[in-house]
Amino acid sequence: MKKYLLLVFIIICALSRGLAQDAEQKEPGKKLEALKIAYLTKRLDLSTEEAQRFWPIYNKYSEDIRSIRQEQKQKNLTELDVEDKIITVRKKYNGEFVKAISPEKVNTFFRSEKDFGGFIQRELQERRMNRQLNKQRPFRQ
């Protein structure tokens, strides 16, 4: 029961955050961010108390990472510079995350964040393949 309440709480937080951002500006990637939050929630298996401490820190962390990506586009930064800045942000927030959840879960979080990229790539590739197969098949009734 606690897990269901936690999941509902997280979804509500994510949606309210997304709606607030959407009201300010039309931001692409809102669905992707919601998917990422659901993925991380499942992988981290946070208790209610952990989730209440973790998600506000994650939101700040995510905003910092997003600002680095925007800076990369605006200033045409090299990939090496971007990675260096991202590592600095991860080191900064590692200490904050450890205050909210166990060090093992922090490691799981960073690992899961990387795994999410692979998950999305596999999903996109599968969808592309399905689209190609559907185009090749003749319509049948």
Side-chain angles (χ1 to χ4, degrees), residues 10-92:
I10 291 169
I11 291 171
I12 289 171
C13 289
L15 289 176
S16 65
R17 180 174 179 249
L19 290 174
Q21 287 178 348
D22 195 38
E24 293 174 18
Q25 61 185 13
K26 296 280 183 185
E27 183 178 330
K30 182 174 65 170
K31 289 181 183 179
L32 189 61
E33 183 65 22
L35 189 64
K36 184 177 182 180
I37 288 171
Y39 182 85
L40 292 173
T41 298
K42 183 178 178 184
R43 295 286 299 266
L44 292 176
D45 193 31
L46 300 173
S47 70
T48 305
E49 295 81 22
E50 288 174 325
Q52 288 174 344
R53 292 187 307 259
F54 174 80
W55 290 111
I57 298 167
Y58 171 80
N59 290 337
K60 291 177 195 170
Y61 164 81
S62 181
E63 185 59 39
D64 284 357
I65 297 293
R66 192 175 299 114
S67 69
I68 291 170
R69 295 289 182 197
Q70 288 174 348
E71 182 182 4
Q72 177 185 22
K73 291 176 185 175
Q74 292 171 350
K75 296 182 179 178
N76 203 18
L77 298 176
T78 66
E79 190 64 27
L80 191 57
D81 289 337
V82 171
E83 288 300 318
D84 188 44
K85 288 182 180 213
I86 289 174
I87 292 293
T88 302
V89 169
R90 286 182 177 161
K91 286 179 180 179
K92 171 186 168 187

